[in-house]
Amino acid sequence: MKVGKVGIGLDLGSTAIKMVITDGEKILCGLSTATAPGQEEIGRQLIARGLESLDLKPEQVGSITTTGYGKKLYSAADLNMDEISANAAGIFRLSRGQARTIINIGGQDLKVITLDNDGKVLDFRMNDKCAAGTGRFFELVSRLLDTPLSEFGDLAGNSGHEVQLSSTCVVFAESEIISLLARGVAREDIIHALHASVARKVAAMMGRTPHDDAIYLDGGPARNRGLVEAIEDELLCDIMVLDDPQFTVAFGAAIARQLSAPTDKP
Ligand code: ADP
């Protein structure tokens, strides 16, 4: 492939490890795999597969930046970056400077990040004490309903009946789902209720963050269209989702060197 030096970002998340190769503007390749022991080797393999798929040589790599909770677990990194800064940088660049609020739903936390007009982080809030409103909650429901997460969006669209689920506690929600299933409630309705419950949690986290600013949702659960619609219904505004919402944090890390490099501009 004919590119100069590429940047690599490795997001060692609580649930998934994501790797992005970029030319600085777009995601040339994004690969992910489940988080497991041996993260150094997993990272190395993802990078090797990515370079091979683009027909790039290791000499063409300008820098490798890690982020995510396991960012120190990859020893060959040139830089480590915190997830909030990587998320802000990634979404701001990919949205071409439009984003002002980011809602990130990860495997084990939910974050709301606000940006200024230059993409600098003004404020952030994080809920990592409770699984309600996180990817873990989705995984639990996926197991209870024996239904892959990739089908949740379409199934929620077929829901015809309103049922309610707790949005404050996953332990309560789990027993609620078990009794709904015992009553014969359709899984479409349970998934619809799950999305509404997570949307209420997001709205509570948003607090008084202005709802008229460009709001971008990212993280793995942003791949679920049904969740995006539920958040739009709860906040009464549009929510933007970029093409590869699970790779935006890794992309922010991949452009880190570029952002920190001295420029010719006065
Ligand atoms: P982390 O960075 O904390 O590892 P991610 O942003 O990678 O988290 O998101 C992981 C979560 O993404 C999983 O817990 C799961 O709920 C969700 N997820 C993964 N694949 C899909 C999919 N195809 N559709 C919807 N949600 C998904």
Side-chain angles (χ1 to χ4, degrees):
M1 178 172 201
K2 281 220 161 117
V3 285
K5 294 264 183 187
V6 292
I8 292 186
L10 202 52
D11 174 10
L12 298 134
S14 64
T15 307
I17 299 179
K18 283 79 61 180
M19 191 279 317
V20 158
I21 303 179
T22 181
D23 56 2
E25 291 306 319
K26 55 188 179 301
I27 296 174
L28 299 174
C29 172
L31 295 174
S32 71
T33 189
T35 298
Q39 301 202 15
E40 177 107 41
E41 184 51 29
I42 296 174
R44 224 184 290 286
Q45 286 177 13
L46 285 177
I47 292 173
R49 272 175 48 209
L51 290 175
E52 195 184 340
S53 73
L54 295 171
D55 206 10
L56 291 171
K57 309 251 169 318
E59 306 81 77
Q60 287 176 271
V61 177
S63 64
I64 300 177
T65 302
T66 55
T67 187
Y69 97 106
K71 59 183 171 290
K72 299 274 173 139
L73 299 176
Y74 189 79
S75 62
D78 299 295
L79 281 178
N80 301 145
M81 190 177 191
D82 71 87
E83 297 107 283
I84 311 285
S85 306
N87 204 343
I91 284 273
F92 197 71
R93 174 75 59 93
L94 289 170
S95 72
R96 301 189 182 285
Q98 298 295 305
R100 295 293 177 271
T101 300
I102 303 168
I103 302 167
N104 175 281
I105 307 184
Q108 290 187 5
D109 57 25
L110 164 63
K111 303 186 198 81
V112 174
I113 305 168
T114 47
L115 308 177
D116 70 10
N117 292 345
D118 298 319
K120 279 217 221 63
V121 175
L122 285 176
D123 182 32
F124 80 90
R125 267 157 280 156
M126 174 154 72
N127 163 33
D128 60 356
K129 302 274 184 291
C130 163
T134 73
R136 269 294 132 87
F137 192 9
F138 284 94
E139 288 174 31
L140 171 88
V141 179
S142 164
R143 279 196 298 276
L144 286 173
L145 302 183
D146 196 18
T147 302
L149 285 170
S150 53
E151 293 178 15
F152 274 33
D154 286 344
L155 287 168
N158 295 332
S159 165
H161 298 93
E162 286 282 324
V163 281
Q164 286 274 333
L165 276 184
S166 162
S167 54
T168 50
C169 176
V170 170
V171 180
F172 289 151
E174 181 175 12
S175 48
E176 283 168 10
I177 291 172
I178 291 168
S179 43
L180 289 171
L181 286 171
R183 273 172 37 206
V185 172
R187 64 185 177 152
E188 287 83 346
D189 298 335
I190 294 173
I191 292 169
H192 187 268
L194 164 74
H195 294 164
S197 133
V198 174
R200 287 197 301 278
K201 190 87 194 172
V202 167
M205 278 284 288
M206 288 280 289
R208 280 191 260 143
T209 304
H211 292 184
D212 51 349
D213 271 348
I215 303 176
Y216 283 71
L217 178 70
D218 70 356
R223 294 164 68 185
N224 176 350
R225 191 63 226 163
L227 173 66
V228 180
E229 284 166 11
I231 297 175
E232 288 181 325
D233 289 347
E234 187 68 33
L235 296 180
L236 298 174
C237 64
D238 288 338
I239 299 290
M240 317 290 173
V241 181
L242 295 164
D243 283 345
D244 296 303
Q246 202 170 2
F247 289 106
T248 46
V249 179
F251 173 76
I255 60 171
R257 235 325 135 67
Q258 221 188 11
L259 293 171
S260 64
T263 66
D264 296 336
K265 286 185 202 151

